[in-house]
Amino acid sequence: SEAAKDAFRTLLDTKPALKLASAIELYKSEEVSISKAAELAGMNLEDFKRVLSQRGIRREIKPDRDIDKKVKEIMEWRE
């Protein structure tokens, strides 16, 4: 319900540590990207990366499976 969502948002807004912990868990479970997790935590990307490092959370960089297609589209666009 909308009331429950509002209550949860209010809780996160009043408890920064809970907001950070939630963002980290969402990132670890691969439900959000690192950029989105940083945004949810209310931090810039570099600070969020630092927090992950301090907590021993390794970041995994996965290859972009569509990179060849994207490069081709960019090259076609530039012509």
Side-chain angles (χ1 to χ4, degrees):
S1 78
E2 200 58 39
K5 288 179 185 177
D6 287 342
F8 189 67
R9 278 190 212 103
T10 300
L11 176 64
L12 291 178
D13 287 343
T14 59
K15 303 283 187 183
L18 181 59
K19 184 169 25 175
L20 176 59
S22 298
I24 289 171
E25 287 305 313
L26 288 169
Y27 172 70
K28 285 173 48 179
S29 65
E30 299 182 357
E31 293 182 53
V32 297
S33 68
I34 193 168
S35 297
K36 184 64 176 178
E39 179 185 332
L40 293 171
M43 304 175 82
N44 68 49
L45 182 58
E46 293 307 312
D47 287 343
F48 189 73
K49 288 178 183 178
R50 195 171 301 112
V51 167
L52 293 178
S53 176
Q54 290 168 346
R55 294 179 182 215
I57 300 167
R58 294 190 54 173
R59 294 183 296 125
E60 290 187 35
I61 301 171
K62 298 181 181 178
D64 185 340
R65 294 186 185 350
D66 296 326
I67 193 69
D68 291 333
K69 179 182 172 188
K70 291 175 183 175
V71 169
K72 183 179 177 186
E73 288 173 0
I74 291 169
M75 296 306 289
E76 288 172 355
W77 176 76
R78 293 180 70 189
E79 292 177 355

